[in-house]
Structures are given as structure tokens and as C-alpha cells.
Amino acid sequence: MTNFSFLKEKSTYTLFAPACVEAERIFAASPAMCAVGCRKAMELAVKWVYAADTSMEMPYRDNLQSLLHEPSFRFAVDRNTWGKLPFIAKLGNEAVHTGHNIQKGDALLCLQSLFEFVQWIDYCYGIA
């Protein structure tokens, strides 16, 4: 059982739930792969939010940075939670594109930030 198991119990989250669980499972073995997994899970979750919330405007480009910074998304997510999303993207990209060693503490912060974001999703869009 993982911290993200509650997502697997809800069929509406099938797009991103497995990626969240996978990111947490790999943490102990590889902080770098955990960071990559968190970034992947976050991107899938962000795309899920755009699909679920028709009031959000899809940006011209559908890359993660454009999706995160589109005003209708950015201001829909509470400021504290949104502020953690760029860190997940940055650390995941750093793990993939550089030779930097990803520290366990940073990977853990990534997981915590991802968890806060999916809790926000469940709070705002979940079905009781």
C-alpha cells in the first residue's frame, strides 16, 4: 500500500494514478527515477485537470511548462500548491537531462509536492 493508493480506488484517476504509485515505489531504489516519475505523474495529472475542467483554456502549446503557466490553470490551483509544481518539473528534468545527483531529500520533497497536488485534484474534482 502506498500513499497514493486512494487514487487507484477511483476509476476517474486511471490516467495518472499508476504513475503516482510507481514514483513512490521507486523512491528507495533510485531518487533520480523517483523525480522522473513524479514529473511524469504530475504532467498526466495536469492534463487530466484540463480535460475535467472545461473552464480552463488550453494553451497554444501543450507542453508541461505552457500547461502549468496558463493563467486559467495557474490561478485555479491554490497558490501554495501551485508553487510546488515548477519544482517537480525542474527536478524531473534535471534527473533526465543532466548528470546531477538527485538527493533523497529532494526526491522526497517531489513526492510530497505531488501528493499535495493530487489531494487538491481529489478535493476539487473528486466524487464523494
Side-chain angles (χ1 to χ4, degrees):
M1 187 153 170
T2 75
N3 291 301
F4 295 98
S5 293
F6 77 97
L7 296 172
K8 292 172 62 176
E9 297 168 5
K10 301 179 181 186
S11 62
T12 55
Y13 301 144
T14 57
L15 178 64
F16 61 90
C20 293
V21 171
E22 183 180 332
E24 184 176 15
R25 283 197 177 133
I26 197 70
F27 170 74
S30 174
M33 292 309 297
C34 175
V36 172
C38 286
R39 188 207 177 281
K40 174 185 176 182
M42 179 185 68
E43 183 166 351
L44 292 171
V46 167
K47 288 180 177 180
W48 184 94
V49 170
Y50 273 91
D53 190 334
T54 57
S55 72
M56 290 190 187
E57 187 173 323
M58 192 66 140
Y60 174 70
R61 297 176 59 197
D62 70 348
N63 63 47
L64 182 56
Q65 289 301 317
S66 297
L67 293 168
L68 288 177
H69 293 282
E70 206 300 307
S72 63
F73 177 82
R74 183 172 181 172
F75 297 116
V77 180
D78 74 86
R79 189 168 60 164
N80 187 43
T81 300
W82 187 91
K84 297 173 183 180
L85 302 183
F87 172 74
I88 298 171
K90 182 180 179 196
L91 196 68
N93 287 342
E94 189 174 306
V96 169
H97 299 292
T98 72
H100 294 135
N101 186 28
I102 303 300
Q103 301 297 313
K104 276 195 160 202
D106 289 335
L108 182 59
L109 184 56
C110 243
L111 277 171
Q112 291 169 333
S113 299
L114 176 63
F115 185 76
E116 186 173 325
F117 179 52
V118 298
Q119 278 189 311
W120 175 84
I121 291 171
D122 193 43
Y123 176 80
C124 292
Y125 301 100
I127 299 169

